[in-house]
Amino acid sequence: MRIGQGCIGFFAELEPSVTVTEQNLADRVRYILRSNTFDITELERLRREAVPSSGENAAAEDAAPQLAKQTANVNNAVNTPVVVDSNDDGTVAQELELEQMRSTLEEAIMETRSTPLENRPRLSRLALSKRNRAVVRALNPMLVTYLEASRDLCETDSILFGAALAVCRIIGAKLSTAERATGQSSAIPAWRIRIKERIAKARALIGRLLCFRSGNTRPRIVRIVRMAFAGTNVSLSQPDITQKLTERIDDLQQRIAAWGKRIRRYTERSTRFNQNRLFQSDQKRLYKSLERPIVSGTGPAPNQADTVAFWRSLWSEPVNHNEGPWTEVVASQCAGITPMDPVIITPDDVAEAVRRAPNWKSPGLDGLHHYWLKGFMVCHAVLADSFKRLSTRRRS
């Protein structure tokens, strides 16, 4: 929807104290049409009065007071706070009052501050739509007040998570209330559980078959043996039942061996895959894991008093070390080395690092994805300042 220069001039004559652009007027007109502020008859009358024909110039002058009254109604309607996506051709992304959004944001931040990391809800992956981006951009300037009062990285992370939670609530995204695991997942794969269940059932059946072959004819044992030979035309009263039992036991034992081999093969493949991936990312860590001895973890726990005494003897008692003449040689060789310039982290550095990160990569313990660090751009300066303080403290 385009608004001509004539409309801008007409609006300037009515409201000389208000500065508008073509885009502003287009957004307001679109809002009026969508919110049904005026019915069809009223809109048609306003169009005729705004664009009079050659024979209606005199009537237009007589209708000026009524037009001013209608203009006041239009101004009251368009003054309703809305969130406008100015970067997406002026499309109205979310018709929410700013005060309601600010209240939702404050409530989410207060809730996040009092919630442990493991109890935080799982944030949903949002669709990259104009509406969702508009809500994120609307909350972005509201975070300045909270971030300026942030004291450390933990509090900054809590504020950002609260803002992400507020966005999810505003757009109606589903949130999982299940507690998140804070450590490395140790769940057994489903396929391995199924195979182990098959092995357990096969071993239990072998035990029943051996009991029946040895002469145990209890009703429960007989019932299980009959179920084992169901559909094979094998009767328990036939003369060669002992041979059939032996064949059935051998078949089950072979299946157990095959299932166990499958588990070992999958385990070895998974180990090789993890080692190859670790070799590409961190060879030192791989070699350490290969050389590390297996610790059973059994045995008595160390005594606390003995542990404190041991480390106190190492760190609390002053010791005079004789380093020898080699320290002076090293010091003289390093005297001409120019010290490295201090690392200065700027907001642009943080923005560039965040830009290259995947949006929905698996988050850390805080549950905050990179998508939110990209959307809440006001946090880049705060993060850069926090990293700068950390690096300065480490050098000192």
Side-chain angles (χ1 to χ4, degrees):
M1 182 179 296
R2 300 292 298 175
I3 302 296
Q5 293 293 334
C7 294
I8 297 179
F10 182 68
F11 191 91
E13 293 177 1
L14 296 176
E15 293 291 339
S17 61
V18 180
T19 303
V20 296
T21 62
E22 295 183 15
Q23 190 62 62
N24 296 140
L25 289 180
D27 295 341
R28 298 305 185 183
V29 170
R30 187 178 293 107
Y31 172 75
I32 292 174
L33 294 177
R34 292 182 57 181
S35 60
N36 296 325
T37 306
F38 304 100
D39 56 9
I40 299 177
T41 305
E42 193 74 7
L43 287 175
E44 186 62 26
R45 187 176 62 81
L46 289 175
R47 289 193 184 96
R48 290 197 305 267
E49 293 176 354
V51 187
S53 61
S54 59
E56 296 177 349
N57 292 331
E61 294 177 358
D62 296 336
Q66 186 176 2
L67 178 60
K69 180 179 179 180
Q70 295 296 337
T71 305
N73 294 334
V74 173
N75 292 334
N76 293 333
V78 300
N79 285 333
T80 303
V82 294
V83 181
V84 179
D85 191 353
S86 58
N87 293 335
D88 292 325
D89 299 331
T91 304
V92 178
Q94 186 73 16
E95 299 174 2
L96 291 174
E97 296 183 357
L98 296 180
E99 292 299 328
Q100 181 180 359
M101 298 177 65
R102 188 174 289 106
S103 175
T104 304
L105 175 63
E106 183 176 0
E107 180 182 354
I109 292 177
M110 294 298 295
E111 178 182 343
T112 305
R113 284 177 175 174
S114 60
T115 304
L117 288 177
E118 60 273 10
N119 294 338
R120 287 183 178 179
R122 292 179 181 271
L123 297 177
S124 303
R125 296 187 178 187
L126 304 186
L128 300 179
S129 63
K130 296 179 181 179
R131 173 175 175 265
N132 295 343
R133 291 198 300 266
V135 175
V136 174
R137 280 197 292 268
L139 293 186
N140 183 53
M142 300 181 187
L143 295 176
V144 176
T145 305
Y146 299 96
L147 292 175
E148 288 179 351
S150 177
R151 295 168 296 181
D152 50 22
L153 278 175
C154 294
E155 189 171 354
T156 301
D157 174 80
S158 177
I159 294 172
L160 295 177
F161 189 91
L165 184 61
V167 172
C168 294
R169 290 176 176 176
I170 290 173
I171 66 178
K174 294 183 178 180
L175 297 173
S176 175
T177 57
E179 296 184 358
R180 297 180 293 107
T182 56
Q184 187 177 3
S185 176
S186 59
I188 302 176
W191 60 266
R192 183 176 295 182
I193 295 177
R194 290 193 298 268
I195 293 178
K196 288 187 175 182
E197 290 178 353
R198 295 175 190 172
I199 292 176
K201 292 180 181 179
R203 287 175 175 172
L205 182 56
I206 288 176
R208 302 299 188 275
L209 295 176
L210 290 175
C211 291
F212 183 79
R213 192 176 63 176
S214 63
N216 190 342
T217 57
R218 288 186 299 175
R220 183 180 179 184
I221 299 296
V222 174
R223 184 174 66 254
I224 294 176
V225 174
R226 285 177 179 174
M227 293 176 58
F229 288 102
T232 59
N233 297 326
V234 175
S235 176
L236 302 185
S237 59
Q238 63 187 33
D240 58 344
I241 186 62
T242 303
Q243 181 180 357
K244 297 296 182 179
L245 290 171
T246 304
E247 293 176 357
R248 182 62 174 162
I249 292 173
D250 292 341
D251 178 68
L252 292 174
Q253 290 177 345
Q254 291 177 7
R255 291 189 180 186
I256 291 175
W259 289 331
K261 186 176 181 180
R262 182 181 301 178
I263 291 178
R264 289 192 297 271
R265 184 171 68 250
Y266 285 157
T267 303
E268 292 174 357
R269 179 192 176 279
S270 177
T271 302
R272 290 195 302 268
F273 176 79
N274 294 332
Q275 289 179 351
N276 291 335
R277 185 172 57 180
L278 188 59
F279 179 80
Q280 296 176 358
S281 60
D282 193 348
Q283 298 181 10
K284 182 178 180 180
R285 182 180 173 187
L286 171 64
Y287 295 141
K288 284 186 176 180
S289 65
L290 295 177
E291 297 175 357
R292 185 181 298 116
I294 300 177
V295 179
S296 61
T298 59
N303 189 2
Q304 182 178 1
D306 296 339
T307 304
V308 172
F310 173 78
W311 289 107
R312 183 171 295 170
S313 63
L314 295 178
W315 298 105
S316 300
E317 299 179 2
V319 179
N320 295 325
H321 297 281
N322 185 12
E323 301 294 349
W326 65 272
T327 56
E328 299 178 358
V329 177
V330 174
S332 62
Q333 293 177 352
C334 298
I337 298 178
T338 303
M340 184 182 69
D341 296 333
V343 179
I344 300 176
I345 302 175
T346 63
D348 294 336
D349 297 333
V350 177
E352 179 64 20
V354 171
R355 184 187 64 82
R356 292 179 297 179
N359 283 343
W360 303 109
K361 186 178 180 181
S362 180
L365 301 181
D366 57 352
L368 194 66
H369 298 87
H370 293 135
Y371 173 83
W372 305 108
L373 298 181
K374 294 180 181 180
F376 301 135
M377 295 180 292
V378 294
C379 73
H380 296 168
V382 179
L383 293 176
D385 185 64
S386 299
F387 295 150
K388 189 185 306 181
R389 292 200 304 267
L390 288 175
S391 61
T392 304
R393 186 180 305 173
R394 180 172 296 180
R395 288 196 302 269
S396 59

